Amino acid sequence: KLEYSFDGIGKIKSTIKAYRNFNTNITNDYDLEFNELTFQGTFNNNVDWKIGRQIVVWGKSDNIRITDTLNPLDNTAFGMVDIKDLRLGRNMTKLDYYFSNWVLSGIILHENRYSKMAKYGSDYYLRPNITPPSNALRNNGLAISLAGNFQGQDVAFYTSNQYIDNTNYRSNMLGFAYNKVIDNIC
């Protein structure tokens, strides 16, 4: 991970991801890419912006991804990739508006990127990879969330219109998440 701040303007952040599959007979089964490459800043105390390839976590659980559908996953080796490294970056423009205990986020999804699946010949190969639709303007997705954080609980509402991961079907999603702390030991 690399991060550099510009005085009063914003900051640039990048994460480089390298992968080499040694469990296959396939030659050249490796990847090297910018998983994240973003430029971010703030308009004022209430509005932040971020543009570039980024990871946006939508939801409240690491393992159950019901509403967390914006970033594809690295499924090249099931169960072998750490949860924090599963999400793959996707080109987006994001605006966050903060008010009281709430944050309203609007996201334009510029890149149609699907989860990485293992290649034919790998021990983890399940099925052929599907080519996502082009990144033309007409194929951009849109996502909006409203999340509130309160004493001992939080709530979030989600909606998006995008292509479903590893299919070429466009979908509308509505989601809701709620967490409440019960019997906090600390």
Side-chain angles (χ1 to χ4, degrees), residues 153-167:
Q153 59 190 343
D154 55 282
V155 63
F157 305 91
Y158 308 96
T159 184
S160 71
N161 176 279
Q162 63 177 331
Y163 283 95
I164 298 173
D165 193 22
N166 283 312
T167 72

Side-chain angles (χ1 to χ4, degrees), residues 67-176:
T67 57
D68 189 15
T69 60
L70 297 185
N71 290 96
L73 298 179
D74 183 349
N75 289 326
T76 53
F78 297 111
M80 303 299 287
V81 179
D82 193 325
I83 289 174
K84 68 181 177 63
D85 297 323
L86 275 177
R87 288 181 186 88
L88 299 172
R90 185 174 178 185
N91 288 322
M92 308 178 198
T93 300
K94 182 178 183 213
L95 287 174
D96 293 322
Y97 174 65
Y98 300 91
F99 57 100
S100 186
N101 292 335
W102 295 89
V103 60
L104 177 65
S105 299
I107 303 168
I108 299 172
L109 308 165
H110 303 295
E111 180 181 18
N112 290 306
R113 186 175 188 197
Y114 289 163
S115 292
K116 282 187 181 179
M117 304 304 281
K119 294 179 183 176
Y120 181 76
S122 167
D123 292 341
Y124 300 101
Y125 177 77
L126 294 176
R127 60 182 164 81
N129 289 323
I130 296 172
T131 303
S134 74
N135 294 324
L137 187 59
R138 71 179 182 281
N139 291 332
N140 280 359
L142 181 65
I144 300 170
S145 72
L146 178 64
N149 294 308
F150 307 98
Q151 181 73 29
Q153 59 190 343
D154 55 282
V155 63
F157 305 91
Y158 308 96
T159 184
S160 71
N161 176 279
Q162 63 177 331
Y163 283 95
I164 298 173
D165 193 22
N166 283 312
T167 72
N168 281 333
Y169 297 104
R170 197 164 182 96
S171 172
N172 291 313
M173 184 273 286
L174 290 172
F176 167 79

